[in-house]
Amino acid sequence: HAKERGRNKYEFYKHEMNKRVVERQSIEAELRLALERQEFVLYYQPIIHLLTGKIVGVEALIRWQHPERGLLPPEQFVSVAEDCGLILPMGRWVLHEACRQAQAWNQAGLSPVTIAINTSAHELRAKDFIENICETLAETGLPPHLLELEMTETVLMRDTEDTNSVLRALVEMGVKLAIDDFGTGFSSLSYLKQYPTDALKIDQSFVSQMINNKDSAAIVSAVISLGINLRKRTIAEGVETAEQHALLLALHCDEGQGYYFSHPVAAGEFATLLASGITSMSQAPADMNY
Ligand code: C2E
Ligand code: MG
Ligand code: MG
Ligand code: MG
């Protein structure tokens, strides 16, 4: 009966695999429709200059306003979009929409903020990536120095030759580059020498533990020193408490982002935050619940 059990197990796995393939295919089909129907929205999370408390930047974060399932976080669809190639049109939409919105805030007389956009490896490798950025900046009128592209170390790991020339082209245009989730990838130190990056975003896994865990605090402190010595801005991700805020200030971290300052919010709400110059530190989450 072992054989039979094996067979049943196999049938079970086959069934599960099929189910997953079908699920993925249906997400894929839905994603295609969602692009056409413009069901994606950008939420905006302020980035605070720690010394002055001013909003100096904002990160655009994609959500899917699903007709039945509500507001979906990127974890539920970005990797599917990457696998099926839809990340390219999706990324183009994000880039255009975020730049348009940032320039609209600018022109409304709000204090200029850097708009940070997440860039996936597929986008960086696309032939028309640079052209796309040039066109978007020209079409929206956003000054290049107000655009910051965020990429993870894994993105920077591949095709070093090509990556390097793409990044140099961006820097020549005046666009800024930040390494996202810094400290969670591989051999980050060699990339720091190789690529012309402007900022290090310290991953929230270190920030969230820095008060209770000496090792996390040591890593945060070391990354900030590295940033200072390499003349790169440091941005702490996932700042949630007053204690973390105070320690980051004491360690001379430049900027911070996290629920302590504000959740990611809809465009209209961000404009209000920017106009008032205040980030509420006790506001109920306006973003979806995880
Ligand atoms: P990320 O770029 O590292 O973005 C930061 C994530 O941390 C966001 O999650 C944000 O909502 C969350 N966050 C901010 N402050 C806090 C905090 O204080 N505590 C905690 N626990 N979390 C905080 P979100 O919006 O779900 O995005 C997740 C990831 O999805 C992003 O990580 C980014 O890698 C990816 N992503 C988001 N938007 C885009 C996009 O337009 N294109 C691409 N390719 N990826 C995107
Ligand atoms: Mg990011
Ligand atoms: Mg990050
Ligand atoms: Mg992250």
Side-chain angles (χ1 to χ4, degrees):
H1 299 95
K3 206 166 157 192
E4 179 132 325
R5 237 182 294 138
R7 222 182 85 97
N8 283 341
K9 221 176 192 172
Y10 168 74
E11 288 296 333
F12 174 77
Y13 284 129
K14 205 171 91 181
H15 178 72
E16 283 298 300
M17 292 278 284
N18 281 338
K19 223 168 76 182
R20 264 210 230 148
V21 169
V22 169
E23 255 170 36
R24 236 179 143 78
Q25 279 170 346
S26 82
I27 299 182
E28 214 180 293
E30 273 193 274
L31 274 176
R32 245 172 254 283
L33 269 181
L35 265 172
E36 278 172 33
R37 295 178 181 165
Q38 311 201 356
E39 289 171 2
F40 296 108
V41 282
L42 293 180
Y43 268 52
Y44 295 92
Q45 187 175 37
I47 299 175
I48 280 57
H49 184 246
L50 294 177
L51 262 184
T52 59
K54 288 225 163 68
I55 301 177
V56 288
V58 56
E59 179 170 7
L61 296 158
I62 195 170
R63 276 100 184 80
W64 179 1
Q65 186 63 67
H66 192 282
E68 285 119 41
R69 284 184 284 147
L71 201 58
L72 304 180
E75 290 86 77
Q76 290 186 25
F77 60 90
V78 166
S79 76
V80 183
E82 283 177 334
D83 292 348
C84 68
L86 280 176
I87 192 70
L88 296 181
M90 186 184 288
R92 275 194 291 273
W93 177 80
V94 171
L95 181 72
H96 198 277
E97 177 58 16
C99 291
R100 184 201 64 73
Q101 182 63 79
Q103 183 61 2
W105 287 325
N106 260 336
Q107 290 187 321
L110 297 169
S111 66
V113 288
T114 301
I115 179 92
I117 298 178
N118 293 285
T119 315
S120 93
H122 302 261
E123 294 178 77
L124 199 68
R125 271 183 273 130
K127 296 256 177 314
D128 59 354
F129 183 64
I130 296 290
E131 197 185 315
N132 231 331
I133 300 214
C134 282
E135 276 176 18
T136 305
L137 290 173
E139 277 168 27
T140 59
L142 184 76
H145 73 273
L146 290 183
L147 174 61
E148 183 154 85
L149 298 178
E150 294 189 2
M151 27 204 116
T152 60
E153 293 162 297
T154 358
V155 170
L156 300 178
M157 237 168 65
R158 314 195 197 180
D159 306 327
T160 47
E161 281 290 297
D162 290 349
T163 305
N164 218 340
S165 65
V166 170
L167 297 188
R168 303 238 164 245
L170 289 171
V171 168
E172 255 164 56
M173 287 164 60
V175 171
K176 295 192 177 136
L177 304 172
I179 306 185
D180 207 349
D181 305 341
F182 187 80
T184 61
F186 301 95
S187 44
S188 17
L189 300 185
S190 66
Y191 299 128
L192 287 182
K193 254 191 76 182
Q194 189 167 356
Y195 297 130
T197 53
D198 300 277
L200 307 177
K201 296 195 78 170
I202 307 167
D203 192 68
Q204 62 186 41
S205 59
F206 305 118
V207 176
S208 70
Q209 294 187 35
M210 66 188 287
I211 299 300
N212 300 319
N213 181 302
K214 280 209 171 74
D215 293 345
S216 293
I219 292 171
V220 171
S221 164
V223 173
I224 293 168
S225 301
L226 196 61
I228 292 170
N229 287 309
L230 293 171
R231 292 172 305 281
K232 294 181 195 299
R233 282 149 52 231
T234 48
I235 307 165
E237 300 193 271
V239 182
E240 293 186 353
T241 68
E243 287 101 316
Q244 291 163 357
H245 178 219
L247 183 51
L248 289 163
L249 247 177
L251 292 172
H252 303 291
C253 183
D254 296 303
E255 297 166 24
Q257 176 183 358
Y259 298 165
Y260 177 66
F261 305 108
S262 167
H263 277 251
V265 294
E269 204 172 328
F270 179 76
T272 308
L273 281 179
L274 192 55
S276 70
I278 297 166
T279 51
S280 120
M281 294 173 188
S282 56
Q283 206 177 33
D287 201 10
M288 75 242 138
N289 293 312
Y290 290 80

